[in-house]
Amino acid sequence: MPVNVLFAARPERWTTYEVPLRTALADAGVDAHLAMEIPTAEVDYIVYAPNSDLKDFAPYTRAKAVLNLWAGVEAIVGNSTLKIPLARMVDPGLTKGMVEWVTGHVLRYHLGMDSDILRRDGKWVYRTPPLAQERSVVMLGLGALGSAASEALVQLGFNVTGWSRSPKNVAGVDCLHGPDGLKEALRRAEIAVLLLPDTPATTNIMNADTLALMPEGARIINPGRGPLIDDAALLDALDKGHIAHATLDVFRVEPLPADDPYWAHPKVTVTPHIAAETRAVTASQVIAENVRRGEAGEPFINLVDRDLGY
Ligand code: NDP
Ligand code: OXD
């Protein structure tokens, strides 16, 4: 009997994922029936995108796991109809994309690239770009993405401080944790990168008080989630010049409404939630591995802690 794998995502994702998922399931040795429509009581696994129409998991009485296509799980983790294991996406392709996006935006700030890229006044302003070793970058969140991005920044020579909920050990990174660790990290943050999940404990973690801890003229890069930042507090800190610039990829409301003050703010760069995209081939291999594990009675990988919310 084949394993029934439901693909619960927007139809356009099916076009991208059908072939890679079929290939990955076959390569993992799983005899699978993969489809967008399967009678609810016959579904064994649900490959899930939180923006799909599926919100009620109760009818999926036989399902063994929900395998999220996204790294962020805030839109599903609190779903009270979900009683089975939930795995989030840890995709090597997505991780590579995030490392590149974060590195690029850190280098933009570090090298002051805007002053040359935007210059039109004909002035030959000579300056010596600083070395990475003279720059302190702070990574809030040392998970799959934050630790990979930190390691890349360390390779470039940056002074990297990381912060997480529990103690961590990332090569070359000064790893701090807990509330006191956050204060110490932010005091060092010439550039802060937010790669935390959206949970009750991280909502508005960047607020008037925490922004005030950062050095004058600091920069913020947020590819994590919009609710990590108290938007009014950030706009105020930007207007007062305490924060020199922010690059924001994620927002409380997406797409960011055209009249949102971030769009027109001279000290803000908006990117449209493109920091990192799940890559179909590598993500399919991760999904297939979890289906294989489920069928072999082995523990799932990348399980979400429903109490912690990530
Ligand atoms: P992980 O779950 O692997 O890592 C999360 C990190 O945040 C961990 O280090 C964790 O600490 C830390 N953390 C969580 N809660 C707290 C807290 N209350 N205080 C301090 N640290 C905390 O997630 P990923 O690295 O895979 O992804 C991070 C986020 O990036 C996702 O949740 C998603 O929102 C976002 N994302 C954005 C994308 C984009 O395109 N913009 C693409 C993909 C993801 P600990 O290590 O102790 O558990
Ligand atoms: C994700 C994202 O969570 O794209 O995967 O933000």
Side-chain angles (χ1 to χ4, degrees):
M1 278 275 284
V3 177
N4 286 331
V5 181
L6 177 72
F7 188 80
R10 294 249 172 99
E12 62 270 20
R13 304 309 284 160
W14 177 243
T15 316
T16 311
Y17 272 89
E18 182 184 359
V19 172
L21 259 180
R22 286 194 197 290
T23 305
L25 287 161
D27 289 349
V30 178
D31 176 16
H33 168 60
L34 173 72
M36 283 198 80
E37 307 259 340
I38 299 173
T40 51
E42 294 172 22
V43 170
D44 295 302
Y45 297 89
I46 303 173
V47 178
Y48 185 71
N51 63 356
S52 82
D53 294 334
L54 201 175
K55 303 290 173 219
D56 181 6
F57 292 91
Y60 296 87
T61 47
R62 193 169 100 181
K64 295 176 192 158
V66 171
L67 309 173
N68 209 40
L69 278 171
W70 297 3
V73 292
E74 69 280 356
I76 180 181
V77 73
N79 187 318
S80 59
T81 68
L82 181 61
K83 311 281 188 203
I84 53 176
L86 167 66
R88 64 193 202 85
M89 179 50 66
V90 179
D91 163 27
L94 179 142
T95 303
K96 279 188 187 151
M98 186 61 84
V99 167
E100 291 178 15
W101 190 90
V102 167
T103 307
H105 285 280
V106 166
L107 284 171
R108 171 194 174 194
Y109 283 148
H110 166 64
L111 295 173
M113 288 181 182
D114 286 11
S115 62
D116 299 317
I117 292 170
L118 303 176
R119 183 174 298 287
R120 294 290 178 273
D121 59 7
K123 291 195 176 129
W124 186 261
V125 182
Y126 188 78
R127 62 197 167 85
T128 307
L131 290 175
Q133 67 200 41
E134 298 164 85
R135 184 76 66 192
S136 170
V137 181
V138 167
M139 188 69 61
L140 301 188
L142 287 175
L145 301 177
S147 58
S150 295
E151 281 167 359
L153 294 170
V154 166
Q155 286 298 316
L156 286 170
F158 286 101
N159 278 308
V160 183
T161 300
W163 181 71
S164 51
R165 187 183 51 79
S166 56
K168 282 268 140 19
N169 195 355
V170 181
V173 177
D174 188 6
C175 296
L176 306 176
H177 67 280
D180 288 343
L182 177 62
K183 287 185 189 153
E184 175 57 28
L186 290 177
R187 285 191 195 103
R188 302 179 188 175
E190 289 179 84
I191 301 172
V193 182
L194 314 187
L195 270 169
L196 294 162
D198 173 13
T199 72
T202 63
T203 302
N204 288 336
I205 198 155
M206 297 312 299
N207 53 50
D209 293 338
T210 48
L211 289 166
L213 293 171
M214 297 177 72
E216 189 79 19
R219 273 85 165 201
I220 292 181
I221 300 174
N222 184 18
R225 281 294 185 260
L228 299 175
I229 296 179
D230 175 338
D231 296 311
L234 176 59
L235 287 164
D236 186 53
L238 287 163
D239 289 340
K240 288 181 172 146
H242 182 66
I243 301 298
H245 204 276
T247 295
L248 309 174
D249 184 57
V250 283
F251 305 90
R252 281 187 158 75
V253 177
E254 294 182 8
L256 186 66
D259 61 354
D260 190 284
Y262 281 141
W263 279 117
H265 202 290
K267 296 179 183 170
V268 175
T269 296
V270 169
T271 63
H273 200 142
I274 44 83
E277 175 66 77
T278 303
R279 308 288 158 159
V281 170
T282 44
S284 294
Q285 290 162 356
V286 176
I287 301 266
E289 170 62 8
N290 255 340
V291 175
R292 184 199 70 72
R293 283 169 169 258
E295 291 310 287
E298 296 174 21
F300 293 114
I301 51 171
N302 308 324
L303 278 184
V304 171
D305 182 323
R306 304 287 297 275
D307 294 327
L308 290 174
Y310 71 98

